Amino acid sequence: MAVTTQQLIQWKRQSRPIVTLTAWDYAIAQLLDAVGVDVILVGDSMAMVTLGYQNTLPLTLEETLHHTKAVRRGVKRALVVCDLPFLTYQESPQQAMHSAGRALKETGAQAVKLEGGYPAIAQTVAQLTAAGIPVMGHVGLTPQSVHQLGYRKQGKTQDASERILQEAIALSEAGAFAIVLEHIPDDLALQITQKIPIPTIGIGAGPHCDGQVLVTSDLLGLSEYKPPFAKSYVDLRQIITQAVQEFSTEVRERQFPEPEQH
Ligand code: KIV
């Protein structure tokens, strides 16, 4: 059965952890979905890991829609969430409605994600959800604010921690169906997770969240740079390098193609 936003909220109530990963193309999406990943996020981290940008800021809505369509074609079960890029929703709720509407209409994604908390973003979330567009929030380290926050852990002081808690509550009250908590202290993530009725999906936020997300290229060992809180389960950079070196050697030494490839 296809995963729905209501199902995720039910899984939180049942303490059933939610597995979330990012994807950027058809092949990766198909593999993740076949394994049973619950939520596939077409994250704007693809700006760096797939498109070679310095950070997430240059990514356009057109690029995001293009990749989300490819991901959606590879998915049968998981909930597909399209991460709205920088300045495609911050200007006004109308701009957010236009971008989110395009994401759902043109790609087949079932939800959008946007970064930041209250008050302006929470108002936008309220308008999107009132229009039937499911929204995943994202608080703590929000990479679209890199020039303001850097990539440092957030919520380390009493004030900052209280602000992030209030943002999460505001997003939940505005109708978000889940919230990503990125790079915040474990105890703050626990507090938020206990306080709001919707699932928290952690990345660098400790073990107490209702689910965990990784950028798939970090998990696969494909990223040039991996944040300290990410884990690689395989070193695909090394495996691919070795395979390409073997092919190159075989071509140069006229060992490829062998008879079975004729
Ligand atoms: O863009 C992304 O990959 C994300 C995850 C880190 C949650 O927002």
Side-chain angles (χ1 to χ4, degrees):
M1 267 230 303
V3 177
T4 61
T5 56
Q6 294 88 343
Q7 177 76 80
L8 299 180
I9 294 169
Q10 205 179 332
W11 282 338
K12 176 183 175 104
R13 292 195 195 116
Q14 297 166 345
S15 298
R16 187 276 205 195
I18 297 163
V19 180
T20 304
L21 281 171
T22 68
W24 50 88
D25 68 12
Y26 173 78
I28 291 285
Q30 225 187 9
L31 288 168
L32 302 186
D33 193 53
V35 173
V37 168
D38 301 313
V39 179
I40 297 184
L41 170 67
V42 188
D44 64 355
S45 55
M46 81 171 143
M48 290 93 82
V49 300
T50 311
L51 300 176
Y53 293 127
Q54 209 51 93
N55 53 45
T56 59
L57 304 194
L59 189 71
T60 65
L61 185 60
E62 297 309 323
E63 287 167 331
T64 297
L65 298 178
H66 175 75
H67 283 270
T68 307
K69 284 182 205 169
V71 166
R72 190 65 193 87
R73 287 193 283 267
V75 173
K76 294 194 176 89
R77 173 186 168 274
L79 185 86
V80 175
V81 181
C82 175
D83 203 4
L84 295 184
F86 179 59
L87 278 197
T88 67
Y89 60 91
Q90 289 97 337
E91 276 176 28
S92 64
Q94 290 70 22
Q95 189 203 27
M97 191 73 75
H98 182 73
S99 303
R102 284 195 67 193
L104 264 60
K105 264 172 110 81
E106 296 177 29
T107 72
Q110 293 102 335
V112 296
K113 175 167 89 57
L114 34 90
E115 294 185 5
Y118 82 118
I121 294 295
Q123 281 161 13
T124 293
V125 171
Q127 294 202 20
L128 293 178
T129 54
I133 300 175
V135 181
M136 176 181 268
H138 184 157
V139 299
L141 172 56
T142 46
Q144 291 178 14
S145 307
V146 59
H147 296 311
Q148 210 167 35
L149 305 179
Y151 291 113
R152 284 184 299 276
K153 186 181 260 196
Q154 299 298 303
K156 291 204 290 193
T157 64
Q158 185 61 36
D159 276 3
S161 154
E162 182 57 28
R163 187 173 35 78
I164 293 170
L165 172 63
Q166 292 308 325
E167 286 180 344
I169 292 171
L171 291 170
S172 170
E173 287 175 351
F177 70 88
I179 304 184
V180 170
L181 304 180
E182 181 163 355
H183 211 14
I184 60 171
D186 297 10
D187 56 345
L188 174 58
L190 174 63
Q191 213 187 338
I192 296 171
T193 301
Q194 288 174 338
K195 193 102 185 169
I196 61 175
I198 57 171
T200 56
I201 310 292
I203 175 160
H208 307 300
C209 299
D210 299 302
Q212 296 289 332
V213 56
L214 278 180
V215 173
T216 297
S217 49
D218 293 341
L219 175 146
L220 296 177
L222 270 176
S223 306
E224 275 178 286
Y225 164 78
K226 175 175 78 57
F229 51 76
K231 176 174 173 185
S232 294
Y233 288 77
V234 62
D235 187 353
L236 275 195
R237 278 179 88 86
Q238 197 260 321
I239 291 171
I240 291 172
T241 301
Q242 194 180 331
V244 174
Q245 279 169 345
E246 275 177 39
F247 171 71
S248 305
T249 303
E250 289 191 6
V251 169
R252 289 185 184 119
E253 295 179 358
R254 298 196 183 280
Q255 290 167 357
F256 176 88
E258 293 165 58
E260 55 268 38
Q261 285 105 31
H262 290 185

